[in-house]
């Protein structure tokens, strides 16, 4: 669920360094998409290894 919300551009304040909304919305959305992709890859890897 967290991966989906990051990819949609929601819940971006959970990212490190963006607790108080210090990062511009465009940069936060870009970082959120990168984090979501990494989380998705690791999630599928965990499922496939079990």
């Amino acid at each position: 669920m967290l991966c989906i919300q990051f990819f949609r551009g929601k819940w971006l304040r959970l990212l490190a360094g963006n607790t108080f909304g210090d990062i511009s919305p465009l940069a936060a959305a870009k970082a959120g998409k990168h984090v979501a992709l990494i989380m998705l890859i690791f999630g599928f890897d965990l499922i496939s290894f079990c």
Side-chain angles (χ1 to χ4, degrees), residues 2-46:
L2 190 62
C3 176
I4 294 169
Q5 293 297 340
F6 277 164
F7 193 74
R8 291 179 55 213
K10 308 293 183 188
W11 297 1
L12 295 175
R13 290 189 178 212
L14 293 175
L15 294 175
N18 195 29
T19 306
F20 301 109
D22 299 337
I23 302 174
S24 70
L26 186 61
K30 186 177 178 182
K33 289 190 186 231
H34 287 295
V35 169
L37 182 62
I38 292 168
M39 288 173 60
L40 188 65
I41 290 169
F42 279 117
F44 282 133
D45 283 345
L46 280 172

